[in-house]
Amino acid sequence: LTAATGGNVIFIPNLGFRNEALAARPDGKFLYTLDLESHEVTVVDVESAGFVKRIPVEHSVVKLQVSSDGRQILCLPAVAGKGKVIQRIDFASNNLLN
């Protein structure tokens, strides 16, 4: 897995997850990748290229996006409405908020 963040290109060895979507914290410290098979967001420490944690998300999540205030990752469903909610991962704790 290779990603560009903060003007740098980094290489992350295969950590056993399949990349479906990527997002990075604005400070470039962590990279978030969505695995559609396991329905998890994997958090990777950019500096060490090490695994931090996996965060289970709803099956409807298909995209990751940094929030407009730069404090969260938004886990976006394929279709809004119909009981589908946007889940949020807090950058300070790397925990799911809802």
Side-chain angles (χ1 to χ4, degrees):
L1 172 64
T2 304
T5 178
N8 300 313
V9 175
I10 60 169
F11 172 76
I12 300 169
N14 184 352
L15 298 174
F17 59 86
R18 196 175 115 204
N19 169 40
E20 299 292 347
L22 291 173
R25 246 172 64 163
D27 62 11
K29 290 184 180 184
F30 294 100
L31 183 68
Y32 300 81
T33 181
L34 174 62
D35 184 334
L36 290 176
E37 288 180 5
S38 67
H39 307 287
E40 295 175 317
V41 173
T42 301
V43 183
V44 178
D45 181 299
V46 172
E47 187 174 313
S48 70
F51 167 82
V52 175
K53 72 188 302 184
R54 286 190 173 93
I55 304 166
V57 294
E58 292 292 323
H59 293 262
S60 62
V61 173
V62 295
K63 182 178 178 184
L64 301 178
Q65 178 180 317
V66 176
S67 64
S68 59
D69 65 4
R71 295 181 181 179
Q72 301 169 348
I73 287 284
L74 305 178
C75 303
L76 305 171
V79 179
K82 297 183 182 178
K84 308 282 192 233
V85 297
I86 295 174
Q87 293 182 286
R88 299 169 185 272
I89 297 172
D90 178 55
F91 282 144
S93 66
N94 280 328
N95 288 322
L96 197 61
L97 296 175
N98 54 343

